[in-house]
């Protein structure tokens, strides 16, 4: 199971003071050195954290690869075609939200997603759709031609304890449903050291994208130790040890 480290909140902290530090590029390189399998970053339309020059510098410098999260807009499509990351994850975006709330409505946006996917795929970019664990959305995702999905784990992460098993079962069923139909299945959102293990045990899930909890934990442990702790937790869960 691969770990994508989302470094958006390093940029959030930098921007809060209008300084040049902490540097998202330095975070990306440190993350890679200490176990990140790739770097995830979200260029939001309002540029509230990651900026265009961050994407360019990180894409140019990383030794692994980047997974660029972006909204379904013409501007972002052009940006991705310029930068040519290995992966693009298409996410829904609302201006006022604190973070990505809910998955893409692939059913409503099917034609536009199929069109963007076609253009990105032609440029050699792997497209993933960030969706809720819902069979009708997965079926619609298949029809767009996207080779991968990322299951939104936010409902599971935010659920009260008594509700969590039901949310986890939804993720597990969706992961098997999608992988049996040939999709690569990733997952992420709201995962932390306390709730990641049950998700890591779901075998069809290939990659996890984790940001907020890792950057938060790095305040106390440092980024290298926070990533190591997360990798070990995932590895132990995955291998049943
Ligand atoms: N995956 C996607 C598609 C996201 O939009 C985000 C948040 O940017 C994450 C994963 C990471 O979520 P978190 O910061 O809660 O770990």
């Amino acid at each position: 199971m691969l770990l994508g480290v989302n470094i958006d909140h390093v940029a959030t902290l930098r921007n809060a003071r209008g300084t040049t530090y902490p540097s998202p590029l330095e975070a990306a390189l440190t993350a890679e050195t200490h176990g990140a399998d790739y770097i995830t970053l979200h260029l939001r339309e309002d540029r509230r954290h990651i900026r265009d020059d961050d994407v360019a510098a990180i894409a140019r410098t990383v030794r692994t690869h980047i997974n660029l999260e972006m909204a379904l807009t013409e501007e972002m499509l052009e940006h991705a075609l310029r930068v040519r990351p290995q992966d693009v994850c298409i996410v829904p975006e609302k201006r006022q939200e604190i973070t990505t709330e809910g998955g893409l409505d692939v059913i409503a946006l099917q034609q536009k997603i199929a069109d963007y996917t076609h253009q990105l795929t032609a440029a050699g970019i792997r497209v993933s759709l960030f969706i809720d664990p819902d069979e009708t959305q997965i079926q619609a995702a298949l029809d767009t031609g996207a080779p991968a999905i990322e299951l939104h784990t936010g409902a599971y992460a935010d659920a009260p304890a008594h509700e969590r098993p039901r949310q986890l079962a939804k993720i597990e069923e969706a992961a098997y449903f999608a992988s049996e139909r040939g999709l690569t299945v990733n997952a992420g959102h709201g995962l932390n050291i306390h709730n990641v293990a049950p998700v890591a045990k779901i075998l069809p899930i290939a990659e996890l994208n984790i940001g907020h909890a890792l950057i938060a934990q790095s305040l106390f442990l440092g980024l290298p130790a926070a990533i190591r702790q997360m990798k070990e937790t995932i590895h132990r869960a995955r291998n049943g040890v």
Side-chain angles (χ1 to χ4, degrees), residues 116-138:
Y116 276 41
T117 298
H118 182 74
Q119 294 185 62
L120 292 163
T121 304
I125 299 167
R126 183 184 71 160
V127 176
S128 166
L129 307 179
F130 189 47
I131 59 174
D132 291 324
D134 175 312
E135 286 187 9
T136 56
Q137 292 292 346
I138 294 169

Side-chain angles (χ1 to χ4, degrees), residues 92-143:
E93 205 174 288
K94 299 189 207 113
R95 280 285 155 103
Q96 302 307 326
E97 67 190 358
I98 293 172
T99 182
T100 317
E101 296 165 353
L104 263 185
D105 186 349
V106 188
I107 298 164
L109 298 165
Q110 198 158 8
Q111 193 49 51
K112 191 170 177 188
I113 293 173
D115 180 40
Y116 276 41
T117 298
H118 182 74
Q119 294 185 62
L120 292 163
T121 304
I125 299 167
R126 183 184 71 160
V127 176
S128 166
L129 307 179
F130 189 47
I131 59 174
D132 291 324
D134 175 312
E135 286 187 9
T136 56
Q137 292 292 346
I138 294 169
Q139 195 56 58
L142 273 166
D143 295 340

Side-chain angles (χ1 to χ4, degrees), residues 39-234:
I39 302 300
T40 293
L41 63 176
H42 185 174
L43 184 67
R44 290 187 71 99
E45 290 180 81
D46 61 9
R47 309 299 198 268
R48 74 166 69 144
H49 36 59
I50 293 293
R51 299 177 187 145
D52 300 52
D53 55 342
D54 294 321
V55 179
I58 291 167
R60 219 177 23 243
T61 315
V62 290
R63 294 172 294 263
T64 57
H65 66 267
I66 68 169
N67 168 35
L68 180 66
E69 297 174 354
M70 59 171 231
L72 194 65
T73 66
E74 196 60 37
E75 185 210 355
M76 288 300 155
L77 176 65
E78 282 169 17
H79 193 93
L81 292 174
R82 244 190 341 268
V83 173
R84 294 190 178 234
Q86 180 169 317
D87 294 333
V88 154
C89 181
I90 301 179
V91 301
E93 205 174 288
K94 299 189 207 113
R95 280 285 155 103
Q96 302 307 326
E97 67 190 358
I98 293 172
T99 182
T100 317
E101 296 165 353
L104 263 185
D105 186 349
V106 188
I107 298 164
L109 298 165
Q110 198 158 8
Q111 193 49 51
K112 191 170 177 188
I113 293 173
D115 180 40
Y116 276 41
T117 298
H118 182 74
Q119 294 185 62
L120 292 163
T121 304
I125 299 167
R126 183 184 71 160
V127 176
S128 166
L129 307 179
F130 189 47
I131 59 174
D132 291 324
D134 175 312
E135 286 187 9
T136 56
Q137 292 292 346
I138 294 169
Q139 195 56 58
L142 273 166
D143 295 340
T144 66
I149 56 169
E150 178 171 334
L151 295 173
H152 196 313
T153 51
Y156 156 76
D158 295 339
H162 71 273
E163 170 65 13
R164 222 169 287 143
R166 201 175 71 86
Q167 294 296 341
L168 184 68
K170 277 193 185 181
I171 296 168
E172 183 161 17
E173 281 161 26
Y176 277 95
F177 182 83
S179 76
E180 281 160 10
R181 284 158 183 76
L183 288 168
T184 295
V185 183
N186 305 325
H189 210 282
L191 297 177
N192 60 40
I193 207 76
H194 305 292
N195 65 17
V196 73
V199 178
K201 284 182 186 159
I202 301 174
L203 291 179
I205 298 180
E207 301 173 12
L208 295 180
N209 285 298
I210 306 182
H212 179 74
L214 277 175
I215 302 304
Q217 186 75 320
S218 74
L219 287 176
F220 305 108
L221 301 182
L223 189 55
I227 292 173
R228 257 195 315 275
Q229 185 189 48
M230 185 61 78
K231 291 270 291 189
E232 276 168 21
T233 306
I234 292 169

